[in-house]
């Protein structure tokens, strides 16, 4: 009786076919995974850019005015520009800046604070004949809507009382408070008297040597001088 046995060649060919198909599927799967990985990387990169833009925009609310070397900031509808303080020649020092109200409502500058001074006062300079005095404005300085108010030597200003000794080229942290807009923080540069603008700072030095203020340099005596004038 004749018996026919399958040849090893046919079995081997069938196995190679199955292995080839499996390998092809594996390669296709690998390519798909690699493609998915590249797509994920591209999406991640795209979502990183908006975050960077937001951070840069946030930093622009308070910055140094590089053209003048003075500080500027914004809070609400208010713009604070040209902020600077004088290098102190005595226990007190002036702080000066410009406030522009771009809003439709009036606001009021009510207070200032800095770690280099235990007391910060808002003052106006008053001239009556030959007498010049500085009076504290306990109600602050009104900033009408659509207008600009300038604080400068010889006029409205902020007085840093018993200020720590600082030198031109340094900066001091200052917080300004407005009745409606709230607080805004600036790093205010210390400049020489010649760079302050407004009336010469020598006028303020002369006042510190007059009357009850002689030897004290205490601008808290403003009210006494005003009464005498």
């Amino acid at each position: 009786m004749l018996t026919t046995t399958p040849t090893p060649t046919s079995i081997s060919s069938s196995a190679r076919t199955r292995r080839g198909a499996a390998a092809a599927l594996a390669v296709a799967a690998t390519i798909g995974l690699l493609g998915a990985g590249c797509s994920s990387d591209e999406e991640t990169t795209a979502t990183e850019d908006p975050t960077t833009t937001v951070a840069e925009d946030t930093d622009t609310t308070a910055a140094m005015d590089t053209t003048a070397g003075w500080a500027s900031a914004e809070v609400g509808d208010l713009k604070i520009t040209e902020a600077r303080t004088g290098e102190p020649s005595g226990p007190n020092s002036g702080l000066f800046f410009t406030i522009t109200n771009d809003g439709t409502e009036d606001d009021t500058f009510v207070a200032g604070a800095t770690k280099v001074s235990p007391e910060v006062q808002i003052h106006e300079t008053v001239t009556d004949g030959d007498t010049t005095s500085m009076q504290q404005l306990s109600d602050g300085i009104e900033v009408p809507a659509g207008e600009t108010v300038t604080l400068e030597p010889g006029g409205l200003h902020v007085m840093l009382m018993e200020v720590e000794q600082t030198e031109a080229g340094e900066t001091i942290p200052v917080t300004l408070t407005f009745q409606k807009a709230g607080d805004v923080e600036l790093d205010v540069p210390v400049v020489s008297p010649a760079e302050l603008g407004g009336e010469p700072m020598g006028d303020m030095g002369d006042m510190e040597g007059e009357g009850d203020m002689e030897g004290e340099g205490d601008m808290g005596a403003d009210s006494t001088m005003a009464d005498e004038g």
Side-chain angles (χ1 to χ4, degrees):
M1 180 177 180
L2 180 61
T3 302
T4 303
T5 302
T7 63
T9 302
S10 61
I11 295 175
S12 176
S13 176
S14 176
R16 282 197 302 271
T17 300
R18 288 195 297 272
R19 285 196 299 270
L25 289 174
V27 170
T30 301
I31 293 173
L33 289 174
L34 290 174
C38 292
S39 175
S40 175
D41 290 343
E42 291 173 357
E43 291 174 359
T44 301
T45 302
T47 57
E48 287 175 354
D49 291 340
T51 303
T52 302
T53 302
V54 169
E56 290 175 353
D57 291 344
T58 302
D59 291 340
T60 60
T61 57
M64 185 70 70
D65 183 346
T66 55
T67 57
W70 298 341
S72 62
E74 295 184 16
V75 56
D77 293 321
L78 305 180
K79 293 180 180 178
I80 295 87
T81 57
E82 302 177 343
R84 73 275 188 198
T85 185
E87 187 177 30
S89 58
N92 308 314
S93 181
L95 171 64
F96 313 98
F97 48 90
T98 297
I99 312 167
T100 300
N101 187 345
D102 289 330
T104 57
E105 294 184 344
D106 297 346
D107 208 334
T108 304
F109 169 54
V110 294
T114 176
K115 68 179 183 180
V116 301
S117 171
E119 182 180 6
V120 176
Q121 298 181 2
I122 301 173
H123 287 186
E124 67 173 342
T125 304
V126 179
T127 301
D128 183 8
D130 295 333
T131 304
T132 302
S133 62
M134 285 184 242
Q135 298 176 346
Q136 185 175 356
L137 301 176
S138 56
D139 294 332
I141 298 173
E142 185 177 357
V143 188
E147 296 190 17
T148 296
V149 176
T150 300
L151 284 70
E152 62 182 356
L156 297 170
H157 59 276
V158 174
M159 187 65 70
L160 310 182
M161 314 297 290
E162 301 295 333
V163 67
E164 295 178 9
Q165 189 63 39
T166 55
E167 297 181 358
E170 298 179 354
T171 60
I172 62 172
V174 172
T175 300
L176 305 178
T177 301
F178 296 87
Q179 192 173 62
K180 295 180 180 178
D183 294 344
V184 60
E185 297 181 355
L186 305 89
D187 288 326
V188 177
V190 179
V191 302
S192 67
E195 297 177 283
L196 284 174
E199 294 294 328
M201 286 299 292
D203 292 350
M204 186 175 293
D206 293 341
M207 290 179 60
E208 291 178 357
E210 292 178 6
D212 295 338
M213 299 175 67
E214 185 174 0
E216 295 179 1
D218 185 359
M219 305 312 292
D222 293 348
S223 57
T224 302
M225 289 186 63
D227 292 340
E228 293 176 353

